[in-house]
Amino acid sequence: MPRTGLPPFQRLLDEHGDDVLGFLIASVGPSDAEDCFQETWIAALRTYDGLEDERNLRGWLLTIAHNKAIDHHRAASRRPQPRSELPESGSRDADPAAKGRPNGRLWGLVGALPDKQRLAVALRFAADMPYRQIGATIDCSEEAARRNVHEGLKTLRKELA
Amino acid sequence: MNAQNDTEAILKAAIGSADAGAAIARFKANAEKEGLIEIAYAVTDTPFGPLLLASTDRGLVRTSLPRYSQDETLAELARQISPRIIESPKRLDPIRRELDLYFEGKLRARPSARTRWPH
């Protein structure tokens, strides 16, 4: 049976393409954002006509992007790191390819934040997401989402100062 | 306070410059290759004004003349056939070329005689 009120998929690309890319740049770094972007939209298109609820399509897309970002970090942390010294802080290495790019240092620092902080900061600043929704997306309370953004920013502030 | 605002401003500026145009073009090519686009559409110029053409992999399913709302037409197709609708002019290229020839008077038969029009 043909479905309900889902808009043509093109509209999602027009309205949310930049946000999804911005979120992915902030969460996996500019050099890997493109791959995650492709995976996100292919996964979205694949499941789109089975979608039950046409409200909050943006949240749905960002949740898919968030899952792709997590997958990406898991895969990246399994890859051997070609370096001799350990990073000083953070759960993983900063994106080495980002260094020569504009804002390379910034993405390096964001990439070195712990997962939840990095994703919370990305959702807050790339997607302007309210804390309640950030919590729902990264699976924590609204209060914890606020704290993750706060802690993430505090670290960035210190490093950038 | 200032340092905080600066950090947020730097973040926002770095993220805000994201332009998905090129990435979206690559996505469309991937989606077409994987057969995920149910309906491709394009808008083409004709002497009557812009004409919307929509096609499944079996052929043209809808045309919509300028006086009809394109949004309305696409929403209708989403309800009737599938919401997996993407603007992807490549699939419509052969039909657009025939229309161009027809309007230039270089194609004698109506395009409908040569192209698969709506069933």
Side-chain angles (χ1 to χ4, degrees):
Chain A
M1 189 187 73
R3 285 214 80 84
T4 59
L6 288 171
F9 197 78
Q10 178 65 43
R11 214 159 91 203
L12 276 59
L13 288 166
D14 293 340
E15 289 175 9
H16 309 305
D18 289 348
D19 280 357
V20 169
L21 186 61
F23 164 73
L24 287 169
I25 288 173
S27 48
V28 302
S31 50
D32 294 321
E34 163 80 25
D35 281 352
C36 287
F37 183 90
Q38 298 302 333
E39 287 171 21
T40 297
W41 285 97
I42 289 285
L45 182 56
R46 229 181 254 291
T47 54
Y48 187 50
D49 47 7
L51 205 59
E52 301 272 330
D53 190 350
E54 72 262 22
R55 288 167 304 173
N56 198 14
L57 292 169
R58 184 168 179 273
W60 173 69
L61 286 166
L62 286 166
T63 302
I64 299 174
H66 165 260
N67 291 334
K68 297 296 175 195
I70 298 269
D71 290 349
H72 171 82
H73 275 277
R74 288 206 185 115
S77 64
R78 277 197 300 270
R79 275 198 295 271
Q81 300 292 327
R83 53 176 298 146
S84 48
E85 83 245 56
L86 289 166
E88 278 174 21
S89 64
S91 59
R92 49 167 226 115
D93 198 4
D95 178 3
K99 274 182 188 128
R101 295 165 177 257
N103 302 311
R105 179 154 175 267
L106 175 66
W107 297 132
L109 295 172
V110 173
L113 293 174
D115 282 359
K116 289 226 159 167
Q117 290 182 20
R118 188 186 60 253
L119 294 165
V121 166
L123 288 169
R124 182 79 192 116
F125 290 95
D128 264 324
M129 214 183 236
Y131 289 110
R132 188 176 46 77
Q133 220 184 328
I134 295 175
T137 306
I138 65 172
D139 201 19
C140 67
S141 69
E142 178 175 353
E143 194 37 49
R146 194 184 300 273
R147 215 164 37 239
N148 276 314
V149 171
H150 179 79
E151 290 300 318
L153 280 179
K154 203 164 87 182
T155 306
L156 293 179
R157 197 149 64 230
K158 209 160 59 198
E159 302 277 349
L160 287 171
Chain B
M1 251 16 238
N2 250 343
Q4 175 169 355
N5 293 337
D6 281 357
T7 307
E8 294 179 14
I10 291 169
L11 264 177
K12 282 221 158 193
I15 294 165
S17 60
D19 176 4
I24 287 176
R26 276 189 292 275
F27 158 71
K28 288 181 179 183
N30 289 339
E32 182 78 86
K33 221 172 2 194
E34 296 203 27
L36 293 173
I37 302 179
E38 206 73 52
I39 299 174
Y41 72 91
V43 178
T44 193
D45 281 326
T46 73
F48 310 118
L51 178 73
L52 179 116
L53 303 166
S55 157
T56 67
D57 58 357
R58 300 198 304 156
L60 206 60
V61 285
R62 187 71 49 90
T63 61
S64 163
L65 288 167
R67 64 198 159 99
Y68 296 103
S69 149
Q70 291 177 4
D71 284 350
E72 196 71 32
T73 304
L74 293 172
E76 218 173 272
L77 283 170
R79 280 195 301 275
Q80 290 169 352
I81 300 178
S82 164
R84 286 202 261 157
I85 300 176
I86 289 179
E87 182 173 18
S88 181
K90 221 173 125 207
R91 198 191 282 182
L92 284 312
D93 273 353
I95 296 168
R96 289 201 297 173
R97 265 197 299 275
E98 289 204 341
L99 278 172
D100 286 347
L101 288 175
Y102 177 70
F103 287 122
E104 286 166 19
K106 290 178 188 154
L107 192 69
R108 298 282 292 280
R110 287 192 304 125
S112 55
R114 301 161 54 95
T115 320
R116 283 174 298 176
W117 289 89
H119 329 288

